[in-house]
Amino acid sequence: MTLIELQAKLEADLKIDPSKLLDETSSNLNLHAQYFSNLLRARIELKRQQIAMRELEKNRYNYYAGFAPDVYEYNLDARAIKFNLEGDKEILDMQKTITMLEIKLEFFAKACDLFKDRGFAIKNQIDLLKFQSGA
């Protein structure tokens, strides 16, 4: 899912129907668990991509340094290797992927916090209804 789709889904999931507070209470825990499992999956994927990034950096370094079977056509010094690594398309693509995963990870962490707050909002609405009914 794209980040925009995730935001729209979160916005819909956070809405509280005042006429169904008991249902909202039970669904809140399920929604929190769903977003928490998404958070864990995002963490696992981020770690996997970070490991793949280290391997890619090593392979691309070997390519530019002349240690790989398929080597770069020019003989480069250390500064030129670093410059080429910083602009390497494969590395940049992997960095974009990692950045998006970090943003998703932050999104799911904040979503979990919002569901904790949603639980308090539901409890406050129930307490207000009790107070208004004289209980």
Side-chain angles (χ1 to χ4, degrees), residues 50-64 85 91 94-95:
Q50 287 172 336
I51 290 168
M53 177 68 166
R54 286 195 294 265
E55 184 178 343
L56 177 64
E57 285 176 333
K58 182 188 78 140
N59 291 338
R60 297 309 291 169
Y61 178 84
N62 287 340
Y63 170 75
Y64 288 117
L85 285 174
I91 290 177
M94 183 70 77
Q95 286 174 344

Side-chain angles (χ1 to χ4, degrees), residues 36 38-48 105 109:
F36 186 73
N38 287 338
L39 173 69
L40 292 178
R41 281 195 296 272
R43 280 185 181 157
I44 290 168
E45 181 63 20
L46 178 62
K47 291 294 183 186
R48 192 177 67 74
L105 187 72

Side-chain angles (χ1 to χ4, degrees), residues 61-118:
Y61 178 84
N62 287 340
Y63 170 75
Y64 288 117
F67 301 133
D70 177 33
V71 295
Y72 191 60
E73 60 188 284
Y74 302 107
N75 189 10
L76 302 174
D77 64 352
R79 199 173 87 210
I81 291 172
K82 182 180 179 207
F83 179 77
N84 279 302
L85 285 174
E86 289 173 355
D88 189 81
K89 181 168 177 23
E90 291 179 38
I91 290 177
L92 291 175
D93 289 342
M94 183 70 77
Q95 286 174 344
K96 287 177 194 175
T97 302
I98 289 173
T99 301
M100 286 307 298
L101 284 170
E102 288 171 343
I103 291 169
K104 277 187 176 182
L105 187 72
E106 183 179 345
F107 172 82
F108 287 126
K110 296 292 182 186
C112 287
D113 291 341
L114 288 172
F115 279 105
K116 288 178 193 171
D117 294 342
R118 183 178 185 264

Side-chain angles (χ1 to χ4, degrees), residues 3 5 7-8 11-12 17 24 30 32-33 52 56 60 79 85 87 102 109-110 112 120-122:
L3 199 55
E5 293 169 343
Q7 288 173 329
E11 188 174 316
D17 185 0
E24 295 290 348
N30 293 334
H32 184 274
L56 177 64
R60 297 309 291 169
R79 199 173 87 210
L85 285 174
E102 288 171 343
K110 296 292 182 186
C112 287
F120 289 117
I122 292 169

